Amino acid sequence: MENKSQIILKLTQAAFMTALCYIGFQFLRIDIPVGTEKTAFHLGNVCCVLGALLLGGLWGGLSGAIGMTIADLTSGYATSAPKTFVLKLCIGLIVGLVAHGVGKLSRQKDKKQIFKWALIGSIAGMAFNVVADPVVGYFYKMYILGIPQEVSSVFAKMASVTTFVNAVITVIVTVILYAALRPAMGKAGMLPTVGK
């Protein structure tokens, strides 16, 4: 059972990661027009995956889901907001399951093991996104938004390119940031223990 100060710390960290996810998509984004729609290169996923590594899958996933859904709603991507919420939550859950559930990342002391499980967890979450984002987007646009199949297919193909580039950048940047932040957070007593 967590005490009150631990709960406040985790909520504060989750709120901070939510804000970073919002900023990563809202302000660190390059829009790519595709007909009447658009896709983007962005750094929002970095903060979602980093949140899952630092706080655990549920908190990281919620941070990404909430932060990037709000960014969608305020940046011309409002029709993508429901899809964003589900996919970012899933990314966090997968990263947390692999890194903390399988790799016991928060208990690791060896730097090689820490790097290994941060990398594997990040890759797992982004591999899911590379497959799920275009597929879910295709069906979402066709059946929920009523966009014709041919047009939805073009959007899905373009999304698969941007999603792959975002995934590669996310894995690299996240692992570097995690390696830098983990020791500092540990020394400050701010690194939560995930998956006790």
Side-chain angles (χ1 to χ4, degrees):
M1 181 87 181
E2 293 180 304
N3 65 36
K4 190 174 180 179
S5 64
Q6 289 172 321
I7 292 169
I8 291 170
L9 175 62
K10 189 167 271 193
L11 285 172
T12 304
Q13 289 172 325
F16 180 71
M17 293 310 298
T18 300
L20 288 178
C21 288
Y22 173 83
I23 290 166
F25 184 80
Q26 184 75 334
F27 300 109
L28 303 174
R29 177 183 80 229
I30 300 170
D31 289 324
I32 312 230
V34 182
T36 59
E37 293 283 318
K38 58 186 170 179
T39 185
F41 296 115
H42 63 88
L43 295 181
N45 289 337
V46 170
C47 303
C48 179
V49 175
L50 184 61
L53 292 174
L54 291 170
L55 306 176
L58 180 60
W59 289 102
L62 284 172
S63 296
I66 294 167
M68 284 193 274
T69 297
I70 293 170
D72 276 357
L73 293 170
T74 59
S75 66
Y77 286 85
T79 57
S80 296
K83 175 181 75 94
T84 294
F85 186 89
V86 172
L87 290 176
K88 301 318 172 190
L89 178 60
C90 289
I91 289 170
L93 293 173
I94 291 167
V95 171
L97 174 67
V98 172
H100 295 289
V102 176
K104 309 296 183 213
L105 182 62
S106 61
R107 297 183 202 160
Q108 295 291 343
K109 303 291 182 211
D110 180 57
K111 287 183 181 182
K112 288 181 183 177
Q113 289 297 311
I114 291 168
F115 174 81
K116 171 185 162 184
W117 286 108
L119 180 63
I120 292 172
S122 298
I123 290 171
M126 287 295 90
F128 161 80
N129 198 50
V130 165
V131 173
D133 189 86
V135 171
V136 171
Y138 171 77
F139 289 107
Y140 179 78
K141 287 183 185 313
M142 218 167 61
Y143 293 111
I144 304 295
L145 301 180
I147 295 173
Q149 179 182 4
E150 299 79 25
V151 178
S152 295
S153 178
V154 170
F155 291 149
K157 288 174 186 170
M158 189 61 186
S160 64
V161 172
T162 57
T163 302
F164 179 77
V165 172
N166 285 335
V168 171
I169 292 168
T170 295
V171 169
I172 293 167
V173 174
T174 300
V175 172
I176 291 168
L177 287 174
Y178 182 75
L181 289 172
R182 181 184 165 121
M185 287 181 71
K187 286 180 185 173
M190 295 179 64
L191 192 62
T193 305
V194 181
K196 288 183 180 180

